[in-house]
Amino acid sequence: ASISKPITATALLILVERGLIDLDRPANDYLGDSKLKAWIGNADDATLRRIANHTSGLPTHYHFFFEDEPYSPPPMDETIRRYGHLVNPPGETYRYANMGFGILDYIITLVSGKPYAQFVREEVFDPLGMTRSSIGLPPSLAPQHATRYTEENSPIPYCDFDHPGASAAFCSAHDLVRFGMFQLKTHLPDQMSILSDSAIDLMQLPTADIDKNKGYGIGWSIEQIPGGSTVIQHGGNMGGVRTCLYLVPDLRLAVVALINANNELP
């Protein structure tokens, strides 16, 4: 679910460090025929940084396409035409928006020349030794996929999204710990350094306020907890999924909890 967001943000920062993307340029500079439209404010103020910290002005959005239904995600240009409408002036308000990370994954595709899932596999998962991770569910990993269940214990069919960068990563708990250790700058011997430490710091710098003690950076929520420690974290929540990834830099600690059901156990 939404632990996909820091994964997408990592892929985005790889292109930033290569000089192919500027976080403070308008997203529309990188998009194709369909552009973001502003009903209030200026669409040029919807920069990649503001999309990544949920202050772009995009509204709440989620759209599931289940395999037992006769629908599939439309081309991303069509999704942007339908839903890429800013309802707040960019930079004014924190509003959690899956659509924004769908736009980021599309920009990764357009800039890199590779499908988003392929780019993440080649540039993030493989170099970090995340061998049981993918965007979407390829046949090679399908046998390891945990069936998701409703509160009544009915199985939920596989689903796709029109915002894969926000929601579509599949990972084992072990792989997410490996991802978390990289984000803690604990470079494991078999992991390549896909980002500089300064880029990791940039991701974990809060640039949007969620509440008094909690902010959002580039794909991460950052919280100050009693005692003075900082927690870098992201969770995920959708039908049959509750997930948590917590990083405590002071303790060099990464904690992952995943469940294939709708409850608060994680």
Side-chain angles (χ1 to χ4, degrees):
S2 284
I3 298 178
S4 305
K5 291 180 174 72
I7 292 170
T8 298
T10 300
L12 182 72
L13 264 292
I14 289 171
L15 294 175
V16 170
E17 290 214 297
R18 292 177 184 172
L20 299 175
I21 281 178
D22 182 339
L23 289 174
D24 295 310
R25 280 181 61 185
N28 281 344
D29 287 357
Y30 298 97
L31 292 174
D33 294 335
S34 292
K35 308 288 188 183
L36 298 179
K37 295 179 175 62
W39 295 99
I40 183 170
N42 185 340
D44 284 344
D45 293 332
T47 63
L48 297 186
R49 190 187 304 272
R50 284 174 170 163
I51 288 177
N53 71 10
H54 299 294
T55 64
S56 66
L58 285 164
T60 303
H61 174 86
Y62 50 89
H63 202 171
F64 304 116
F65 298 83
F66 292 94
E67 64 180 357
D68 62 343
E69 296 177 343
Y71 312 105
S72 58
M76 194 60 190
D77 277 341
E78 178 63 16
T79 294
I80 293 171
R81 186 186 68 80
R82 295 179 185 179
Y83 304 115
H85 300 274
L86 311 184
V87 298
N88 295 102
E92 180 184 79
T93 302
Y94 173 87
R95 186 188 298 270
Y96 192 82
N98 285 321
M99 181 67 184
F101 276 79
I103 289 168
L104 293 180
D105 82 59
Y106 188 45
I107 288 173
I108 289 168
T109 293
L110 294 174
V111 171
S112 71
K114 297 179 180 180
Y116 163 71
Q118 178 184 346
F119 185 86
V120 172
R121 184 184 74 248
E122 294 178 355
E123 303 288 349
V124 179
F125 292 152
D126 287 350
L128 296 184
M130 298 171 65
T131 58
R132 295 188 178 186
S133 299
S134 64
I135 302 299
L137 194 62
S140 61
L141 291 179
Q144 301 171 38
H145 170 231
T147 300
R148 289 168 279 182
Y149 293 93
T150 67
E151 294 176 357
E152 294 77 29
N153 290 325
S154 299
I156 297 175
Y158 175 80
C159 65
D160 201 355
F161 313 87
D162 62 3
H163 44 77
S167 310
F170 286 79
C171 300
S172 68
H174 181 261
D175 275 9
L176 281 177
V177 168
R178 292 181 66 88
F179 178 73
M181 295 303 287
F182 173 76
Q183 289 283 336
L184 287 170
K185 306 175 196 170
T186 302
H187 304 297
L188 303 177
D190 59 346
Q191 287 186 331
M192 297 174 60
S193 183
I194 59 175
L195 285 180
S196 67
D197 287 356
S198 61
I200 293 173
D201 288 339
L202 183 65
M203 292 178 64
Q204 299 174 8
L205 177 68
T207 53
D209 293 329
I210 300 175
D211 56 33
K212 181 180 178 181
N213 296 312
K214 193 172 184 179
Y216 205 95
I218 299 175
W220 284 113
S221 174
I222 302 96
E223 185 173 5
Q224 302 299 317
I225 62 173
S229 289
T230 298
V231 175
I232 314 296
Q233 61 96 4
H234 217 293
N237 180 14
M238 64 186 189
V241 179
R242 292 301 295 267
T243 62
C244 299
L245 169 56
Y246 284 79
L247 311 179
V248 188
D250 291 351
L251 302 178
R252 314 299 296 164
L253 179 66
V255 180
V256 170
L258 312 175
I259 193 168
N260 56 331
N262 292 332
N263 65 47
E264 302 293 332
L265 280 174

